[in-house]
Amino acid sequence: MRQILTFMSALAASAVLAGGLSSSALAAPQVADLLIRSANVIDVKTGQVMPGQTVVVRGDDIVAVTADAEAAQTYAAARTYDAAGRYVMPGLWDNHVHFGGAGLEDENADLFPLYVANGVVAVRDAAGDLAQTVLDWRATPPRPIGPRLFTSGPKIEGVAPVWKGVIEVGDEADVDAALDRLQGLKVDFVKITDSTLKPELFLYAVRQAKARGMKTSGHIPMGITVLEAAEAGLSTIEHLSYLMKAGSRDEAAISADYLAGRYTYAEAMAQYAATFDPDTARRVYRRLAELGVMASPTQHGSSTLAWLDRDDHSHDQELAYIGPGIRGTYGWRVERAAAATPEQVEARHRVEATTLRTLPLLREAGVRVLAGTDAGFLNAFNYPGFSLHDELALYVANGLTPREALEASVINGPALMGVSDRYGAVASGRAADLIVLDANPLTDIAATRRINAVVRDGRLLDRAELDGLLADIRARVQAHEAAK
C-alpha cells in the first residue's frame, strides 16, 4: 500500500508541473481500510436518505461519510466495496435475547455468527443459566465473528424459583449482597424476575439498583401494578403483555384474584384482555413516557406461541441453523400449548390480539419501544437473528412506521446501554457496524432481510461471505446431530 500511495503522490506532482491537475491533487490520499462507495446512506433518526455517498472506515471506526467525488480525491483503501446505489444503515440490535442450556455452550456459541449473518451487530442478553459463560464471552467472544454483547449476568429471583442459575434472595440483605455481586461482575443491567420473589423485594431491588446507577429490567410480580414498578425506577418493561396488563381498568383487582388462587395465570391474562381500556392505557403509558421507561415487546415470540394451533413450525427453514440441544429446549412450551382446550386456544388468540393493540398507544404516548425478540433457548421457534426481522415487521403491521421500527432497534438500544455516541448513525466517529441492503427499509420494512453485506467491527462481509457463514453454521448443526 505504501508503494502505491508514493507512486500516486509522484504522479500527482508530475501532473501539476504539466498543468494537468490543481495543486489540491498534490496531497497524498488519506489511508483507510475500507471504502463503501455509491451508497444511499440512511439517517434512521430523521428518515432522510443521502445518495451518492462514500463511507470511509479505518479500524473499527467510521472516519468520514462524504460525497463520492470528494472521497475519490481524498481517500485510498485496501478494500473498496461498490454499494451500487444500495442502502447503508447502522447494523441492527436485538435488545432481548437469551443464551442458556447447561451443556449447550457450543451450540449457543454458534448463534454468534448467526446473528451477524442476519445483520444483527449487537445483542442484549436478558439472563439464562450460563451467566458466567456469557460474561466470559463478553470479554472474549466464542467465535471469530459475532455481535457486541451486553448482559445482565445472573438474574435476581426469590428462593427456590423455577429458573436455574439465578441469585436467590429472601430478604433485603440478600438483595444488597446480590447487587454487590452484580456490580463486581460489571453487568450491563440488572434482570429481576418474579417466579418466587416477594413483590416488596422486587420493588426494593429496583430502588436500590437505581440508587447505585444500575439499569433494571424484569418480570413484574402480580402483587404490584406495572406503574408501581415503573415509579420505583424500572428502566425497561420486558414483554408487551405487561403493557396490556397495565391497560386493564381492573389490573389490581384481577392480580389480587390471581394471588388468591381464583385464576390461573392464563385466566388472569384473559381477564386483563377483557378489561383492557384504551383510556386507562393512555394514562399509564403517558406516565411511563414521563419516567423514561422503555418497552421491549418481544412480541414475535409471543405471537408464535399464540398461534401454534395453526402452525407447528416443523418445516421452518431456520431450524437448520439451530442445534439439536437448543431445539430440544423448545418442548416444554410446545407441549403446554398443545395441551390447551379449544376454549383456552381461543382465549390465547384474544389475549394476543389485545396485546398488539398497545403498540400504537405506546407510540401515541411517547414510550420508546426497544426492539427485542426473546430469541434463544426455551423460546420455541424464536430463531436468533432471523426473528428480529419478524419482530420489526410486526411493529409496522400494528401501527409503527418503518422508521420507528428501525429506531426501536438501532437507536433505542444504544440509548439504553449508554453508547449512543458510538452507535445509531452512519457518521464520523461512530462504530463501523453497518448493514448494506438491496432496498430501502424506510419504504418497506421487509427490506431488512435483503442484506447484501454486513460490516462488523470494521470488517466487511459481502453476500458470498455471509452465505459461507450460514453454510458453516448448518454444517456445525449437522455435526451436533451426528454426535447425538
Side-chain angles (χ1 to χ4, degrees):
M1 173 60 74
R2 187 177 294 109
Q3 291 175 330
I4 293 172
L5 294 180
T6 300
F7 171 76
M8 291 174 68
S9 297
L11 182 62
S14 298
V16 167
L17 292 174
L21 289 176
S22 68
S23 59
S24 64
L26 276 170
Q30 297 181 40
V31 180
D33 296 312
L34 171 67
L35 300 179
I36 302 175
R37 298 180 59 246
S38 302
N40 286 309
V41 173
I42 294 174
D43 183 334
V44 174
K45 188 66 178 175
T46 66
Q48 305 248 320
V49 178
M50 297 177 291
Q53 299 293 298
T54 294
V55 181
V56 184
V57 175
R58 185 181 298 127
D60 59 359
D61 293 323
I62 300 171
V63 296
V65 179
T66 187
D68 287 329
E70 182 176 341
Q73 294 181 2
T74 309
Y75 297 97
R79 183 173 185 184
T80 296
Y81 169 87
D82 186 0
R86 294 184 176 89
Y87 294 81
V88 176
M89 64 168 282
L92 299 169
W93 284 47
D94 189 333
N95 297 288
H96 188 126
V97 308
H98 293 283
F99 297 101
L104 301 178
E105 289 83 352
D106 204 37
E107 290 188 20
N108 278 270
D110 289 340
L111 303 180
F112 276 63
L114 187 60
Y115 277 112
V116 172
N118 281 279
V120 178
V121 301
V123 297
R124 184 175 71 111
D125 167 62
D129 59 354
L130 298 177
Q132 187 56 56
T133 297
V134 176
L135 284 162
D136 293 341
W137 285 346
R138 184 180 59 176
T140 307
R143 296 287 182 264
I145 296 170
R148 179 170 180 179
L149 175 61
F150 300 88
T151 182
S152 67
K155 61 187 175 184
I156 294 176
E157 249 291 2
V159 176
V162 298
W163 306 112
K164 298 178 181 178
V166 306
I167 304 175
E168 298 184 18
V169 300
D171 56 29
E172 291 183 357
D174 287 345
V175 172
D176 294 339
L179 292 173
D180 287 342
R181 178 182 168 189
L182 293 172
Q183 281 190 303
L185 293 171
K186 294 181 170 56
V187 299
D188 299 297
F189 66 104
V190 178
K191 178 79 178 286
I192 313 167
T193 54
D194 64 334
S195 169
T196 59
L197 185 65
K198 299 173 185 175
E200 61 270 21
L201 284 183
F202 181 94
L203 293 174
Y204 179 81
V206 171
R207 293 189 184 106
Q208 291 303 308
K210 181 180 180 180
R212 296 174 184 231
M214 305 173 81
K215 297 181 185 296
T216 53
S217 76
H219 297 178
I220 301 167
M222 284 286 202
I224 58 178
T225 66
V226 170
L227 198 51
E228 285 178 291
E231 296 278 6
L234 197 65
S235 304
T236 65
I237 295 172
E238 311 294 332
H239 314 305
L240 202 59
S241 56
Y242 286 105
L243 279 305
M244 185 273 287
K245 173 180 180 287
S248 165
R249 60 179 176 269
D250 298 328
E251 179 189 8
I254 294 167
S255 296
D257 283 341
Y258 168 80
L259 292 171
R262 286 187 281 273
Y263 291 135
T264 66
Y265 180 82
E267 288 168 343
M269 295 305 295
Q271 288 298 314
Y272 294 131
T275 57
F276 181 81
D277 173 52
D279 289 336
T280 299
R282 288 187 181 96
R283 174 180 55 80
V284 173
Y285 299 168
R286 282 194 295 268
R287 181 57 181 151
L288 294 178
E290 290 173 359
L291 293 168
V293 180
M294 291 191 187
S296 186
T298 69
Q299 199 57 30
H300 169 67
S302 297
S303 294
T304 298
L305 293 172
W307 293 97
L308 279 177
D309 56 299
R310 182 180 63 185
D311 186 354
D312 67 5
H313 294 274
S314 59
H315 300 294
D316 287 357
Q317 295 181 356
E318 295 88 347
L319 287 169
Y321 301 94
I322 308 300
I326 293 177
R327 292 201 307 268
T329 69
Y330 293 173
W332 73 294
R333 291 195 189 277
V334 174
E335 291 162 9
R336 187 172 64 182
T341 65
E343 293 76 18
Q344 289 169 332
V345 170
E346 184 179 352
R348 195 166 73 201
H349 293 171
R350 286 198 302 270
V351 169
E352 171 67 12
T354 305
T355 300
L356 288 171
R357 289 174 58 194
T358 66
L359 277 169
L361 297 177
L362 290 169
R363 172 197 181 192
E364 175 188 321
V367 175
R368 297 180 74 176
V369 174
L370 188 68
T373 63
D374 219 10
F377 83 121
L378 294 178
N379 294 323
F381 314 117
N382 200 346
Y383 306 113
F386 298 101
S387 289
L388 183 59
H389 302 284
D390 296 307
E391 185 82 10
L392 299 179
L394 189 149
Y395 297 168
V396 174
N398 288 276
L400 272 62
T401 67
R403 191 205 63 77
E404 289 168 337
L406 296 174
E407 181 177 24
S409 175
V410 308
I411 292 179
N412 294 348
L416 176 67
M417 291 292 97
V419 291
S420 293
D421 60 328
R422 287 288 289 163
Y423 296 92
V426 184
S428 177
R430 302 300 180 102
D433 281 358
L434 309 166
I435 51 175
V436 184
L437 304 174
D438 288 337
N440 186 355
L442 296 171
T443 303
D444 181 3
I445 196 64
T448 61
R449 303 175 191 271
R450 298 178 59 185
I451 300 169
N452 191 266
V454 175
V455 180
R456 169 68 182 113
D457 217 15
R459 175 185 172 184
L460 184 136
L461 303 164
D462 62 22
R463 187 63 256 173
E465 291 168 293
L466 294 174
D467 288 341
L469 270 185
L470 291 170
D472 181 64
I473 296 165
R474 287 196 303 270
R476 293 182 65 85
V477 168
Q478 290 167 2
H480 287 308
E481 291 172 338
K484 287 182 65 178

